Amino acid sequence: MPRSAASTLVFPVSPVPRAAERDRRRTSASSVLRSVLEHGPVARSTVARLTGLSPASVTEHCARLAGLGLIRESPAARRSRGVGRPHVPVELDDARFVVGGVHVAVPYTTVALLDLRGRVLARRELKHERTDPGRVLARAAEGLAALFAEASGRRPLGVGVAVGGWVDRETGTVVEHELLGWREVPVRELLAARTGLPVQVDGHARALVNGERLFGRARGSRSVLHLFVGNVVDAAFATHDEVHHGPRSAAGAIAHLPVPGGTEPCPCGRTGCLQVELGERTLCRRARAAGITDSANPMHVVAAAAAGDAVAQRLLVERARATGRAAALLLDVLNPETVVVTEVGVIHFEECLDALREAAGNSRSAAVLPTSFPDSVLAVAGGSVLLDALFRDPLGASPEGI
């Protein structure tokens, strides 16, 4: 009896869409590279256990990442219980490449070189002669070129740019920065044209969340809030390794949150907004009024406090306490596992950290930490923008594409 037509039908298996396959490979490569960063030198078998990938997949990704120059075999092989073939661990290759970091603050721009571990190798501060974006970015490119020229034997991977205010990460645009007077500035386009390198741009609070997750105390934390208090006051929030950006990356704009009892007039027309109450311009103006300094540099207030000036100490403690009240509000809304605060008083004085934690709530004080980068926070912010892109997609952001 002949077979029926139905018995000969073959139902084809749909192939995995190319985009889905690329996403899978990107995610797997990222997991492997992050594991090597966090645990290296580490055996490939351990990477497989940490990531949940098959040993064969880990071996493949390690070979690809080594071929790109991002990881290398460690010189010291390890034996398992003294028998069998030695395990050759892998580690991050932090001697081959550098990334450029740019942080644009109100009074100056910081340019820096970082290695793949987020360590600052060199940096310069470029005081603003004027703040029109073309001039600021041209000087940043010149400063980077000088640093790259000094980094003999290391190849630049790209440039990360961190800026305060409203920054659209997807387009690399500073949508609005009130204090600089910038609006719709295509930073990525302008700086890429001047450097000839890939450029990534993000807000500095989000950049520092990524720096803390990759290289700082927040590594391994399930949720992180970062509060940045400088001339600009803003915040960023990450859960499960993803930073929340919101539509056109507008998340984290807290400059105009009201401060109870605030008295400082804000350009927005209200009184007591967070940025005018806590900003460094206000701190320095109050210090000048008290005769502490005639400078607009907050580090002069820090220096006076370190020298024993009681009024300078009081100003910094009061500012830290007000920052703690802002942190308490964000803690109530977001309930993060870890809070990281970047603020000059908290960085330099234990009394300020104590005041911050007390105002944030003693029951949660252990979760409130100062920045992991007290001596290099702005340089790390810039470099972390590019390094985050690299560790998220080492195959797409690799030297192969440069």
Side-chain angles (χ1 to χ4, degrees):
M1 181 177 177
R3 291 183 298 171
S4 67
S7 67
T8 63
L9 290 177
V10 177
F11 294 93
V13 178
S14 298
V16 177
R18 289 184 179 179
E21 176 65 16
R22 285 196 299 269
D23 288 344
R24 184 189 64 79
R25 290 180 62 82
R26 179 176 65 244
T27 301
S28 298
S30 174
S31 297
V32 170
L33 188 60
R34 286 283 296 272
S35 293
V36 174
L37 168 68
E38 294 176 21
H39 302 284
V42 59
R44 293 170 179 83
S45 58
T46 303
V47 174
R49 176 174 55 80
L50 291 168
T51 61
L53 297 170
S54 70
S57 180
V58 169
T59 298
E60 177 188 349
H61 282 298
C62 284
R64 181 73 182 276
L65 294 171
L68 294 172
L70 299 176
I71 67 173
R72 63 191 173 197
E73 290 188 339
S74 179
R78 299 176 180 176
R79 289 190 176 274
S80 176
R81 297 187 178 90
V83 297
R85 296 179 62 187
H87 295 290
V88 180
V90 292
E91 62 186 0
L92 205 66
D93 190 342
D94 55 15
R96 185 175 302 196
F97 300 109
V98 290
V99 302
V102 176
H103 179 277
V104 182
V106 174
Y108 59 87
T109 293
T110 301
V111 294
L113 298 187
L114 290 79
D115 68 11
L116 298 192
R117 296 186 186 277
R119 297 177 298 204
V120 177
L121 305 175
R123 64 180 166 184
R124 294 180 182 175
E125 291 181 358
L126 309 174
K127 186 174 177 60
H128 293 159
E129 300 167 352
R130 55 183 191 269
T131 59
D132 59 282
R135 179 57 180 158
V136 168
L137 296 175
R139 294 191 70 216
E142 293 165 2
L144 284 174
L147 293 181
F148 285 136
E150 296 170 5
S152 58
R154 289 180 182 253
R155 182 179 173 189
L157 288 178
V159 179
V161 184
V163 190
W166 179 3
V167 181
D168 184 348
R169 182 189 63 161
E170 293 300 319
T171 63
T173 300
V174 173
V175 181
E176 184 175 35
H177 191 305
E178 294 178 1
L179 298 181
L180 286 176
W182 289 14
R183 282 177 175 77
E184 300 294 347
V185 177
V187 173
R188 178 192 297 163
E189 177 184 331
L190 293 173
L191 203 54
R194 289 187 172 274
T195 63
L197 292 169
V199 176
Q200 298 285 338
V201 185
D202 208 346
H204 58 197
R206 291 192 293 265
L208 286 168
V209 160
N210 289 325
E212 292 286 349
R213 289 188 309 99
L214 287 170
F215 315 114
R217 297 189 185 100
R219 180 186 287 176
S221 182
R222 290 169 295 182
S223 57
V224 185
L225 167 69
H226 185 273
L227 180 59
F228 186 97
V229 181
N231 278 301
V232 173
V233 178
D234 54 12
F237 183 58
T239 56
H240 298 292
D241 212 30
E242 289 293 332
V243 177
H244 179 61
H245 286 79
R248 211 181 177 196
S249 300
I254 61 171
H256 297 287
L257 287 179
V259 176
T263 60
E264 293 289 333
C266 182
C268 75
R270 292 177 289 182
T271 299
C273 291
L274 193 61
Q275 185 162 285
V276 292
E277 289 292 332
L278 300 184
E280 288 175 351
R281 288 184 172 185
T282 300
L283 172 67
C284 292
R285 180 175 54 74
R286 290 172 177 172
R288 290 195 298 272
I292 297 168
T293 177
D294 58 0
S295 169
N297 186 340
M299 295 309 298
H300 291 181
V301 184
V302 171
D309 189 301
V311 178
Q313 293 170 354
R314 176 178 57 79
L315 285 176
L316 290 171
V317 168
E318 288 176 351
R319 185 178 190 236
R321 186 171 291 113
T323 301
R325 290 195 292 270
L329 174 63
L330 296 172
L331 272 161
D332 287 340
V333 173
L334 299 172
N335 192 30
E337 185 174 84
T338 305
V339 180
V340 180
V341 177
T342 298
E343 190 272 336
V344 291
V346 171
I347 289 173
H348 290 93
F349 300 105
E350 195 69 28
E351 298 89 339
C352 290
L353 179 59
D354 291 342
L356 170 77
R357 286 173 165 167
E358 181 182 5
N362 287 328
S363 63
R364 299 177 292 191
S365 62
V368 181
L369 307 171
T371 176
S372 301
F373 317 107
D375 300 320
S376 56
V377 63
L378 302 185
V380 170
S384 291
V385 178
L386 195 284
L387 289 167
D388 173 65
L390 176 68
F391 280 96
R392 284 184 182 278
D393 185 9
L395 304 182
S398 69
E400 186 179 75
I402 296 175

